[in-house]
Amino acid sequence: MEGRMRDLTLDEFVDVLGSKAPVPGGGGASAVAASVGVALGQMVASLTSGKVRYADAQPRIDALLPQLQHARDRLLDLADEDARAFEPLARAYRMPRETAQQRAARDAALQEALVGACEVPLDIMETTCEALGLVDELARIGSRMAVSDAAAAAALLGASLRAASLNVFVNAKSMADRDHALRYQTRARALLQKGCPLAEDTFGYVERML
């Protein structure tokens, strides 16, 4: 796919996502979905900002808004990084393997490509976890008129976190260096253990208010 994900229209993005094109795939979709969750958090912050009723929260809102923008931009960048990381992996899978020499070359290229294919979704998970912390705070200090949007943001971010983790696990499974693979798997599980309960807590907090 040529160009950046963020430059596609929504129709163009879902069309290419639904096609047989190799990218975007689950990693890119996870990053884009997480960016939508962050944007919902931005909406909650924007609807809270400047309101007399929430004057006490204004300093935190002012601090959260640029952090949310940074997370959203980073996630969209990561959608493109995920596509770039998949390209060498796809090339490696297509390499010939008729002879022992070809198989060795293919395996070497594959093992090298698997590193990027794990690291980018881990970055998506890291950024998504950070965004979950921001959204959780917004659910508690933000405008009550937009509290359901904070819960929707948490739900999207939680789902994106789990979706991105699958790319880590499936690619780490193919790594010959099992110590390296274990480090990726352990980090992914730690992020899931951190982010998924937070997403559930945020959603549950809002649900009890409705």
Side-chain angles (χ1 to χ4, degrees), residues 182-202:
L182 181 60
R183 287 195 292 273
Y184 287 141
Q185 292 164 338
T186 299
R187 185 57 187 151
R189 291 191 183 99
L191 289 166
L192 287 171
Q193 289 168 5
K194 175 184 177 182
C196 290
L198 181 56
E200 290 296 325
D201 287 348
T202 307

Side-chain angles (χ1 to χ4, degrees), residues 104-179:
R106 179 181 183 272
D107 187 61
L110 183 61
Q111 294 303 316
E112 183 178 354
L114 286 168
V115 173
C118 285
E119 288 182 349
V120 176
L122 274 171
D123 285 344
I124 294 171
M125 293 181 72
E126 291 268 11
T127 306
T128 301
C129 267
E130 292 169 7
L132 273 164
L134 305 179
V135 165
D136 181 69
E137 186 173 359
L138 281 166
R140 298 168 197 278
I141 69 171
S143 170
R144 299 301 88 185
M145 295 294 292
V147 70
S148 63
D149 297 298
L156 283 169
L157 289 165
S160 299
L161 182 67
R162 295 180 67 190
S165 76
L166 298 175
N167 278 20
V168 179
F169 294 131
V170 72
N171 289 312
K173 185 177 181 180
S174 298
M175 282 185 163
D177 185 339
R178 297 316 300 159
D179 288 339

